[in-house]
Amino acid sequence: AQSVTQPDIHITVSEGASLELRCNYSYGATPYLFWYVQSPGQGLQLLLKYFSGDTLVQGIKGFEAEFKRSQSSFNLRKPSVHWSDAAEYFCAVGANFGNEKLTFGTGTRLTIIP
Amino acid sequence: NAGVTQTPKFRVLKTGQSMTLLCAQDMNHEYMYWYRQDPGMGLRLIHYSVGEGTTAKGEVPDGYNVSRLKKQNFLLGLESAAPSQTSVYFCASSLGLAGVNEQFFGPGTRLTVL
């Protein structure tokens, strides 16, 4: 069974600073990896996803993530954060072969300070 | 195009009471899901459906029942509410398998059981 670890519960960064949120997964084959964002009081929205091919994937709102098989990681990055990026971020792993379910990490809450 | 909607947005129950949460989607998606979100635990899958008339258990199904009588609706029922069911409930839908397809989330229902 697949699993996801997000080691950072809460991260605070200054507006304009760069951001990296960590995600480590466990899965026996090539995983399907997702990052979702949850703004306060809202449902989750897909930021980006990785299935295969180029290991650096671009998403919405200026986010990108890099898949590193050797490190079992799929870290989310943004070069310069905006106050509107304050939210909770969830990494998730899925799989093909008839897998109807997505496994979510516990989330990282991002606070932006002026 | 409303996407995924959930009714109600908030609810307070007393222990032992019953209620039904309604999820509706207008994207003609086959797959629908109910999650609960608790602090520090991410999203956990309660039940899901892979098509009209089908339901299946997720990670934490005990104390909940579901029905998918119409393709666009997915109902989550609590027959006898317990304080442990205090949570935020999210419905989601996807075109195909959640492990490989983007899920679209509703805004959530905040349930408190006293």
Side-chain angles (χ1 to χ4, degrees):
Chain A
Q2 62 261 34
S3 66
V4 179
T5 301
Q6 292 181 250
D8 303 306
I9 296 173
H10 184 204
I11 285 183
T12 300
V13 299
S14 299
E15 189 168 15
S18 63
L19 171 70
E20 182 168 24
L21 302 182
R22 296 183 292 165
C23 172
N24 293 98
Y25 68 89
S26 174
Y27 183 63
T30 299
Y32 290 69
L33 295 162
F34 303 78
W35 274 101
Y36 282 85
V37 60
Q38 183 181 28
S39 298
Q42 304 294 318
L44 280 71
Q45 179 186 21
L46 181 68
L47 277 177
L48 49 79
K49 60 187 178 185
Y50 170 79
F51 287 171
S52 65
D54 194 348
T55 56
L56 185 64
V57 293
Q58 303 296 321
I60 62 171
K61 306 185 182 186
F63 285 92
E64 66 178 26
E66 186 171 13
F67 171 62
K68 292 186 177 180
R69 184 187 300 275
S70 62
Q71 297 177 20
S72 297
S73 68
F74 188 56
N75 294 349
L76 183 71
R77 301 194 295 246
K78 187 170 185 178
S80 176
V81 298
H82 186 261
W83 63 267
S84 60
D85 294 324
E88 187 145 21
Y89 292 80
F90 292 93
C91 183
V93 62
N96 207 337
F97 310 115
N99 192 328
E100 295 87 7
K101 295 172 280 188
L102 194 61
T103 301
F104 286 89
T106 53
T108 297
R109 184 160 61 94
L110 176 64
T111 298
I112 308 295
I113 55 177
Chain B
N1 189 340
V4 179
T5 58
Q6 293 183 231
T7 309
K9 289 185 169 52
F10 302 93
R11 186 72 187 268
V12 178
L13 291 179
K14 294 181 180 178
T15 297
Q17 287 185 319
S18 63
M19 78 162 294
T20 300
L21 282 67
L22 171 63
C23 175
Q25 53 95 4
D26 61 4
M27 296 173 283
N28 202 34
H29 286 169
E30 288 293 336
Y31 294 73
M32 296 188 74
Y33 306 81
W34 276 108
Y35 294 92
R36 59 177 290 172
Q37 183 180 32
D38 303 291
M41 303 192 75
L43 275 76
R44 293 181 291 168
L45 183 64
I46 304 171
H47 286 281
Y48 63 99
S49 168
V50 302
E52 181 178 315
T54 75
T55 62
K57 294 181 180 180
E59 184 184 357
V60 288
D62 293 341
Y64 304 95
N65 56 76
V66 288
S67 64
R68 182 102 181 264
L69 299 179
K70 293 183 179 180
K71 186 176 183 178
Q72 63 268 33
N73 296 336
F74 194 29
L75 279 62
L76 177 71
L78 286 73
E79 291 186 348
S80 179
S84 61
Q85 293 178 305
T86 293
S87 187
V88 181
Y89 292 86
F90 287 99
C91 177
S93 70
S94 61
L95 195 59
L97 296 170
V100 300
N101 288 274
E102 176 180 3
Q103 290 189 71
F104 294 82
F105 285 81
T109 295
R110 184 173 295 275
L111 174 66
T112 301
V113 182
L114 302 175

